[in-house]
Amino acid sequence: MNPPARWRHRRRRGRAGHPRPLARPLARRLPGPPVRALLALVLLVCSAGPIAACGPGAPTGTTLSVLASAELTDLRPVLDELRRATGITLHMEFGGTVSTSNLLGSGRADRHDLAWLSSDRWLRLNVKAGGGTGVPPATRTMMSPLVLGVKRSTADRLWHGGERQPSWADIAVAAERGQLRYAMTDPNVAHSGLAALVAVATAGAGTGEALRPEDVAQDRVRGFLAGRTLSAASTHALVDNYLDHQDDTDAVIAYESDLLALDGDGRLREPLDLVYPQDGIVLSDYPLLLLDPAKRSAYDRVVGWLLAPAAQEKIMRLTLRRPVDPNVARDPRLERPIGNALYFPDRPEVVQRLLAQYAADTPATVTGPPRTPEASRTP
């Protein structure tokens, strides 16, 4: 898979040129009093509005088209504040992370300026495998680990009331024995489902390294898939599906942020205990990718605003995702250590084999809403 030609440009180290102070060029062309009056007006406007919108090169009134992971629909209040502060509107078009990455890698997403994914690992792996020499510049914006939310009664029955954190191997064994019925997103569409398959297969291989093709076809993965009874195309849709079937489902595999939010909204009939598998987790870091190099100035402005402490804190409060800025005080619910990160496969054929095994071993009884298109435009 070859990346679009415009990705192959080297990342610029800075903006070309630096604007001169406002007063010097104006003073050469205008008489003194009008200059002073104009400067006073500029200072008044900038002091009355957000400072971020008044600096040099501010792309006021810019609209950027963004191909985004479906779970980022919860950022709308943040994006409204971004627009007010910088004058930049992000027009979001949502889809599953895996299917969106396939679209980007195919070169059919050239009309978009940016992409904002839960993870860009699959995209980068495909670009590399296709012989591409470049991938879009990216900046991570927030973090959330993939965890298992399991009913407290089920956790007590299987793992003795949380005396120890189970491993992905323990989860797979419980599913194979019919002791754990869980909800998981479709790995052909959503990154959380694919990440869960990678985690179980990696734990089953027991090599401590990235999966090899020969590690995939194993009974551990087949047993794990036997317990999957609910499906959806995104983590938000999965949570809603779980709520509709919570009486006959024991657990849900989703991002920490989604399960923490669910725990506090009063819709659960039984609390969910969060399991951070002791043999490793997969962490999503929500990179913002620059697809169109001509929009670099606006991209830099958006990234600068998102990484500022005030925005990082707002994102954390609104979405319960962990800030990437270590200096931002964390919500107490986000202070729990997440342990070691698991390797993501470094060869695309490994992921393709996982998806083939998923298709062969997923029970026909899995329920859920129909798969969404690769990307759907939302207002």
Side-chain angles (χ1 to χ4, degrees):
M1 182 186 307
N2 290 314
R6 60 185 181 177
W7 293 2
R8 303 187 187 120
H9 295 288
R10 294 182 59 189
R11 181 169 183 169
R12 288 184 289 173
R13 298 184 179 273
R15 297 178 185 170
H18 298 279
R20 299 176 179 175
L22 182 61
R24 181 178 295 173
L26 286 175
R28 292 174 180 170
R29 294 192 295 270
L30 298 174
V35 169
R36 289 193 294 270
L38 180 58
L39 288 175
L41 178 61
V42 169
L43 291 173
L44 177 62
V45 170
C46 285
S47 63
I51 296 300
C54 292
T60 304
T62 299
T63 297
L64 300 177
S65 175
V66 185
L67 197 55
S69 295
E71 57 264 31
L72 296 181
T73 53
D74 60 8
L75 285 179
R76 282 195 176 95
V78 174
L79 301 185
D80 288 342
E81 190 166 325
L82 168 70
R83 175 180 49 78
R84 290 191 294 269
T86 66
I88 300 174
T89 299
L90 298 187
H91 183 75
M92 309 284 279
E93 189 170 330
F94 297 104
T97 301
V98 175
S99 53
T100 295
S101 297
N102 291 335
L103 184 66
L104 286 166
S106 70
R108 292 181 286 127
D110 276 359
R111 61 190 177 87
H112 295 88
D113 303 309
L114 311 178
W116 203 346
L117 307 176
S118 60
S119 172
D120 62 357
R121 293 184 183 94
W122 180 230
L123 170 63
R124 291 177 177 273
L125 183 59
N126 272 294
V127 170
K128 177 182 177 181
T133 58
V135 290
T139 304
R140 63 181 193 157
T141 58
M142 49 195 162
M143 300 179 292
S144 196
L146 186 74
V147 299
L148 176 74
V150 57
K151 286 180 177 177
R152 187 156 297 166
S153 60
T154 302
D156 290 343
R157 170 170 50 86
L158 292 176
W159 301 304
H160 309 293
E163 293 177 6
R164 68 177 180 86
Q165 287 289 289
S167 64
W168 285 109
D170 294 328
I171 294 168
V173 168
E176 183 178 17
R177 292 175 177 173
Q179 299 171 328
L180 184 70
R181 299 160 299 177
Y182 64 87
M184 185 182 83
T185 58
D186 185 343
N188 292 289
V189 181
H191 179 260
S192 59
L194 178 59
L197 280 185
V198 168
V200 172
T202 301
T207 64
E209 300 177 351
L211 282 171
R212 303 164 301 179
E214 57 267 30
D215 296 328
V216 173
Q218 50 179 283
D219 291 339
R220 185 61 50 79
V221 177
R222 183 172 295 107
F224 169 72
L225 289 172
R228 180 175 176 263
T229 59
L230 287 177
S231 176
S234 71
T235 52
H236 287 178
L238 186 74
V239 167
D240 289 339
N241 203 13
Y242 171 76
L243 289 171
D244 292 338
H245 298 85
Q246 57 184 303
D247 290 337
D248 50 17
T249 306
D250 303 308
V252 56
I253 297 175
Y255 295 119
E256 174 191 63
S257 55
D258 293 297
L259 297 180
L260 288 175
L262 179 62
D263 185 57
D265 72 359
R267 293 183 291 171
L268 289 174
R269 286 192 277 275
E270 182 177 350
L272 293 176
D273 288 344
L274 267 59
V275 171
Y276 298 73
Q278 62 176 335
D279 44 1
I281 56 91
V282 179
L283 183 69
S284 287
D285 54 7
Y286 300 91
L288 184 65
L289 295 86
L290 174 64
L291 303 182
D292 185 355
K295 303 298 174 61
R296 183 56 186 264
S297 176
Y299 171 82
D300 287 343
R301 178 56 60 93
V302 170
V303 166
W305 189 87
L306 289 172
L307 297 185
Q312 288 280 289
E313 183 177 357
K314 184 176 181 67
I315 290 171
M316 178 181 64
R317 285 190 286 104
L318 179 69
T319 71
L320 289 174
R321 297 187 183 103
R322 299 179 181 224
V324 294
D325 185 344
N327 297 315
V328 174
R330 290 187 176 180
D331 183 296
R333 291 168 291 179
L334 301 176
E335 292 178 348
R336 184 171 180 173
I338 58 177
N340 298 323
L342 292 173
Y343 290 103
F344 194 81
D346 55 7
R347 298 166 63 179
E349 57 265 33
V350 172
V351 176
Q352 291 160 359
R353 287 195 182 192
L354 276 174
L355 294 176
Q357 184 166 356
Y358 164 83
D361 295 332
T362 297
T365 56
V366 168
T367 60
R371 185 181 302 175
T372 59
E374 285 188 342
S376 58
R377 186 173 297 277
T378 62

